[in-house]
Amino acid sequence: MTFADRGGASNIIGDRWADLAAAHAVGWSGGLGWIELADGDTAPIDRVDRLDATPRIAAEASRHGLQNPDLLLIGGDDQGQVIQAADAKFSIETARSKQ
């Protein structure tokens, strides 16, 4: 693993993946994507906020022992606002159930 990460390659690849995933997710805003609600209904995504682009958010979450998502999907309907956390995973094998 150390050999594969020479020159910080994993950070470079990870940062690029985060950029690509966020750019793709932004395309869901404006009602083009949907958040599934607990009752099985859906709400349109109005906005996508990228949390991984703000280092202090990750630092604060870490300090409190919390997970922090890469993105927040923000939407709503006449019932109110809905926020769903999302992680930008490269493959399903790297995801944990709590993500």
Side-chain angles (χ1 to χ4, degrees), residues 9-57:
S10 64
N11 284 337
I12 294 168
I13 293 167
D15 289 345
R16 182 64 179 136
W17 174 251
D19 291 342
L20 290 170
H24 179 75
V26 166
W28 301 335
S29 61
L32 298 177
W34 300 89
I35 298 170
E36 187 171 337
L37 306 174
D39 64 2
D41 205 2
T42 58
I45 297 172
D46 297 322
R47 187 173 91 230
V48 177
D49 285 350
R50 186 173 175 184
L51 295 181
D52 65 349
T54 308
R56 71 173 194 257
I57 293 174

